[in-house]
Amino acid sequence: MKKDIQIGYDYFKNSSELNDIENTLFARAKQARENAYAPYSNFLVGCSVLLENGEIFSGNNQENAAFPSGLCAERTTLFWVAANFPNEKIKKIFIVGGPREFHEKNPPIPPCGACRQSLIEYETKQNENIDLYFSSMNDVVVKVNSIKDLLPFYFDATFL
Ligand code: THU
């Protein structure tokens, strides 16, 4: 028997198609990207998180001379938020990434596999979907309504 998995996503040609809160999150992620510590890859990523209480927090990728010791922007931000607001639901996450040098053709940067797994943990914990947006610096934005859309057959605590 063959089965299919389909995911839907929103595609925004540029930020004029975003609403106010989405534009704020985009701006905060871009701002955070400026402070990324990425001297080895020169690939800068910023991330902003909207909590249910309306607060927005942001972070960026942090690299290390011992390469695997660095961490992506998504997990840097997510773990800080989870550590400081363990009971506050995460509503939206916005990711902006790309090489230090801007190129018009840079595509939107989706979260890596390890970040998807970490994001799924919190979506499952709060029992409510998280809207995830990802973009490049060229203003194209992609949105999915759940982290699960990016990680079908995800592993979570129900298997333990
Ligand atoms: N990076 C992120 O911060 N998020 C992603 O989802 C993809 C990759 C970072 C890790 C590393 O510092 C640099 O981008 C190049 O991989």
Side-chain angles (χ1 to χ4, degrees), residues 94-153:
F94 212 119
I95 305 159
V96 183
R100 195 181 297 277
E101 297 298 327
F102 175 79
H103 300 294
E104 189 55 46
K105 285 200 173 129
N106 288 151
I109 304 301
C112 78
C115 286
R116 294 177 197 202
Q117 181 66 31
S118 294
L119 287 159
I120 284 273
E121 182 72 25
Y122 296 100
E123 191 173 85
T124 307
K125 175 178 172 253
Q126 69 182 31
N127 199 24
E128 195 177 299
N129 287 0
I130 299 171
D131 291 335
L132 181 124
Y133 302 76
F134 54 94
S135 164
S136 71
M137 295 301 285
N138 71 2
D139 228 27
V140 171
V141 177
V142 174
K143 176 193 177 194
V144 292
N145 295 316
S146 167
I147 314 299
K148 289 164 188 153
D149 288 345
L150 293 182
L151 198 61
F153 295 114

Side-chain angles (χ1 to χ4, degrees), residues 37-38 41-46 60-63 70-75 95 109-113 115:
Y37 179 61
S41 72
N42 282 310
F43 192 88
L44 280 60
V45 186
N60 45 41
N61 51 330
Q62 295 294 319
E63 298 187 348
L71 198 61
C72 291
E74 295 88 326
R75 277 174 290 162
I95 305 159
I109 304 301
C112 78
C115 286

Side-chain angles (χ1 to χ4, degrees), residues 3-47:
K3 298 189 180 191
D4 286 319
I5 295 175
Q6 262 196 322
I7 64 154
Y9 63 93
D10 291 303
Y11 181 91
F12 303 92
K13 277 203 291 288
N14 58 61
S15 51
S16 70
E17 297 180 6
L18 299 175
N19 66 26
D20 283 355
I21 186 65
E22 291 168 339
N23 263 311
T24 301
L25 287 166
F26 195 8
R28 289 286 300 271
K30 277 197 263 195
Q31 203 178 28
R33 179 179 171 275
E34 296 296 312
N35 293 325
Y37 179 61
Y40 306 106
S41 72
N42 282 310
F43 192 88
L44 280 60
V45 186
C47 175

Side-chain angles (χ1 to χ4, degrees), residues 62-80:
Q62 295 294 319
E63 298 187 348
N64 194 284
F67 291 178
S69 299
L71 198 61
C72 291
E74 295 88 326
R75 277 174 290 162
T76 303
T77 312
L78 193 62
F79 292 161
W80 187 89

